[in-house]
Amino acid sequence: MSQLGKLYVVGFGPGDFKHITTRAVEALQESDFIIGYKTYVELIQDLIDSNTAVISTGMTEEVSRAQEAVRQAENGKKVAVISSGDSGVYGMAGLVYEVLIEKGWTEATGVEIEVIPGISAINSCASLLGAPVMHDSCTISLSDHLTPWDLIAKRVEAAAMADFVIALYNPRSGRRTRQIVETQRILLQYRSPETPVGLVKSAYRDRQNIIITNLKDMLNHDIGMLTTVVIGNSSTFLYDNKMITPRGYQRKYTLNADKQPLKPHQRLKEEAEPWAMDQETGIQRSQNIDQVSVFKKVEQETVVKAAAKPTMGSYQLALEALSRVIGEQESSATTYVHQEMESIFELAVSPGVANKRFTPKQMMTLAEVVGEKGTMEYTPNHNILLKIPTTTPDMITAKLQDANFILSPVGDVVTIKACDFCDGEKTGGIPYAEELQEKLGGLQMPKEFNIGFNGCGMACYKAVMEDVGIVYRKGKFDLFVGAKPVGRTAHPGQPVAEGIEPEKIVEAVSKIVEEYRQNAHPNERLFKYFKRAKKIQGYTYQDMSPKIEIEPAPCGD
Ligand code: SAH
């Protein structure tokens, strides 16, 4: 049986030995021949065995390199064809396959081939710039040696229009100097002049150089054969000289930005993602990204056409799609691509601490701010939870405040749940409830924290079943701490003090809140903290839980 050799097509990454894969090193060491462009062979020289034959050729000799590699492999040799970065990204992998295919190669009958992946410049350069490629991105080579400039320009335009992060490979050489100038001109038709741009020269090589600039100034810097130019999308921003493209996590926010209220399982719910495509109907719901939807429309038409005309080549299809996109574009002049960052604004509203009645104006304001796309939901916390997709949360809060609503953030915050003070007949406690709301309402806590406030000893709004219960009785206050409000082992709070003087109550509760806030573990509810700490503000813990054994039943069981 004739001994067939093996072809390795190796991407060796950006250039230093730490960023080359183990498999690539193995392949280089197993090979009888290494074939590559001179500069690259020099870069990996120290990884190659001294008796390995090296064929290094000039830059434009890729075809002869691939042919020689195939010839040697067919003669039974193990041959490594090397590319910098990834060999499948403007590298040698495609060419090697093309040469093989010319010769009628098939996997079953021909020489064995293994393409070994490497870190491409888009990834190595991105890592040095921060995190610019966090969202949809593309690579475009500005080299027009093998690709008509017209096509490159159209791809630049399509990418600019579709708001891709763009990594420009081969941006400029001694002779090709105008391509990058023209590219900048096209990009400026769609992206702000301030769009962050990163220039990385010789990533992970001796002469590494990193420049952070922007679209309007990028040409004032050195751009050459060894540079990759990374253009941000319309949301990319600079922070401490790093380029960051947000992934979109901040699309769900609440009144206070400290902590995201949505739990992981809630984040994926349909109502939390109004911009997503409807799973069942396939309809694009978000209407506010006009240019992108124009692009989508063209794309869909093209797909239909493709089905109708199976003989049309993909190149012609791409050109036709692009010409349509550009046709649409002409009428709308040069507006920048701008992705509005629509977020779900979450907050809770109530008509008042003691007041439980909504006015018609309040109801109308709610309907107006919630609109077609938002939701409102009544909760056990004496408030209505609003979730509103918006780009202008400040306008919403202004309107709600104007309608005299009390606004609170949602999540693990202090909520004051007062009774209606017998419809305003028992008013004695109201000022203290309001003061507590003013002072503590909405405060971020380790866990949900409800303060129940009742205006008489009947405590009919069940203040004693809240984390902290306050009952106004005969001009003074009784205090309850550490109820377990839910579950089959639910129990009321422990009565810790009776007859607190009115002017002392706000301070006493504030101190409990503060101690718990400082010392509780994340997610540890007040009753658990009280049990663990044994004391809170001098009050000693007593077990209030039911005295019978009861099998635990976690959520949902
Ligand atoms: N196969 C390579 C790309 C070869 S095309 C890869 O996947 O990375 C050559 C272009 O790649 C250069 O003009 C430059 O734009 C980019 N490039 C390759 N190595 C680079 C490096 N170390 N630093 C910056 N850019 C690099």
Side-chain angles (χ1 to χ4, degrees), residues 13-15 40 83-91 119-122 124-125 168-171 200-205 224-229:
Y40 296 162
S83 293
S84 73
D86 184 276
S87 63
V89 180
Y90 315 115
I119 302 175
S120 187
I122 184 172
S124 55
C125 296
L168 298 171
Y169 283 55
N170 301 304
V200 182
K201 187 176 170 192
S202 298
Y204 298 98
R205 297 186 196 171
M225 288 267 286
L226 285 170
T227 311
T228 297
V229 178

